[in-house]
């Protein structure tokens, strides 16, 4: 669908440039929306509102960038496409453990991208589909990684923006997608082991294959 107007929200300029290298062109806008769910949501909502007021609303929003991968399912250098975008730490700590905000009677903690689009993108890129967690604090210990995996057994990756981007998209009634390239394992923080360059290259490769997938996607096929 060549006329589909797509907004891609990354966190930082390096991610924006990696995406734009393969996904530039008419109808595609790539922004560095900022780090963390709050700034990502605000920046994405601003871009969506501006486009709508100008009469060229977006038909798809994509949260994209690098991420930590849960091992061994999402090794460094691999691609993950979210089939659910979940806020991992939005809720309350209680004597019985963590309670998500939904169980407190408020809001939502998960957004689900269109199944057909996830399926076709996985087939085109060789990515794995699974849950991508949004956190406000990046995991830095094995203990925290184990807690997240126990709470979210389908999780493949964690990042800091997806849920915020998805909240903004949902407020505008626009479908959302999240694509992550794994730069480091989720767990003990070891910057020497990060492979950011490899992850950015994988992100560029993924977006090089996205346009044909969108060209055959029916937005009404959710």
């Amino acid at each position: 669908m060549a006329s589909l107007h797509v907004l891609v929200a990354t966190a930082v300029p390096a991610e924006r440039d990696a995406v734009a290298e393969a996904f530039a062109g008419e109808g595609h806008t790539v922004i560095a929306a900022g780090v963390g769910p709050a700034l990502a949501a605000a920046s994405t909502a601003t871009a969506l509102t501006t486009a709508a007021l100008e009469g060229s609303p977006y038909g798809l929003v994509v949260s994209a960038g690098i991420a930590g991968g849960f091992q061994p399912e999402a090794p460094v250098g691999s691609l993950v496409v979210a089939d659910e975008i979940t806020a991992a730490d939005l809720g309350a700590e209680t004597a019985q453990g963590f309670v998500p905000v939904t169980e407190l009677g408020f809001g939502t903690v998960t957004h689900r991208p269109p199944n057909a689009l996830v399926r076709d993108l996985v087939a085109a890129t060789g990515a794995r589909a699974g849950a991508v967690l949004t956190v406000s604090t990046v995991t830095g210990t094995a203990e925290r990684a184990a807690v997240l995996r126990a709470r979210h057994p389908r999780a493949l990756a964690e990042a800091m923006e997806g849920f915020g981007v998805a909240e903004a998209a949902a407020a505008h009634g626009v479908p959302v997608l999240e694509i992550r390239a794994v730069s480091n394992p989720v767990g003990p923080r070891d910057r020497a082991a990060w492979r950011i360059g490899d992850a950015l290259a994988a992100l560029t490769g993924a977006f090089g294959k996205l346009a044909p997938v969108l060209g055959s996607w029916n937005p009404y096929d959710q």
Side-chain angles (χ1 to χ4, degrees):
M1 186 171 296
S3 61
L4 186 67
H5 197 194
V6 181
L7 172 66
V8 182
T10 69
V12 297
E15 294 169 328
R16 178 197 61 204
D17 295 346
V19 171
E21 183 178 335
F23 200 64
E26 185 176 356
H28 302 159
T29 304
V30 186
I31 63 172
V35 175
L39 184 53
S43 299
T44 302
T46 298
L48 288 167
T49 299
T50 300
L53 290 174
E54 292 175 348
S56 55
Y58 291 103
L60 176 69
V61 177
V62 185
S63 177
I66 63 176
F70 288 96
Q71 306 301 299
E73 292 86 356
V76 172
S78 66
L79 289 167
V80 174
V81 176
D83 59 14
E84 65 174 73
I85 302 168
T86 294
D89 49 14
L90 183 60
E93 291 289 350
T94 73
Q96 291 72 42
F98 177 80
V99 177
V101 72
T102 48
E103 294 185 21
L104 300 175
F106 304 103
T108 185
V109 293
T110 295
H111 292 279
R112 299 189 183 279
N115 289 332
L117 187 52
V118 170
R119 180 195 64 227
D120 292 348
L121 186 56
V122 165
T125 63
R128 291 200 62 179
V132 176
L133 306 182
T134 299
V135 296
S136 294
T137 302
V138 172
T139 298
T141 66
E143 292 77 13
R144 173 64 173 168
V147 167
L148 288 176
R149 283 305 298 268
R151 192 184 299 161
H152 304 282
R154 296 189 65 255
L156 292 181
E158 70 163 27
M160 300 182 73
E161 295 79 31
F163 186 78
V165 172
E167 286 277 85
H172 283 259
V174 180
V176 67
L177 187 66
E178 184 167 11
I179 304 171
R180 293 286 169 178
V182 176
S183 60
N184 57 280
V186 175
R189 190 171 176 82
D190 178 10
R191 287 296 300 268
W194 290 16
R195 297 293 180 265
I196 293 176
D198 292 344
L200 292 174
L203 194 65
T204 299
F207 273 87
K209 298 173 182 176
L210 178 58
V213 172
L214 295 179
S216 60
W217 176 53
N218 178 358
Y220 299 102
D221 183 5
Q222 301 293 311

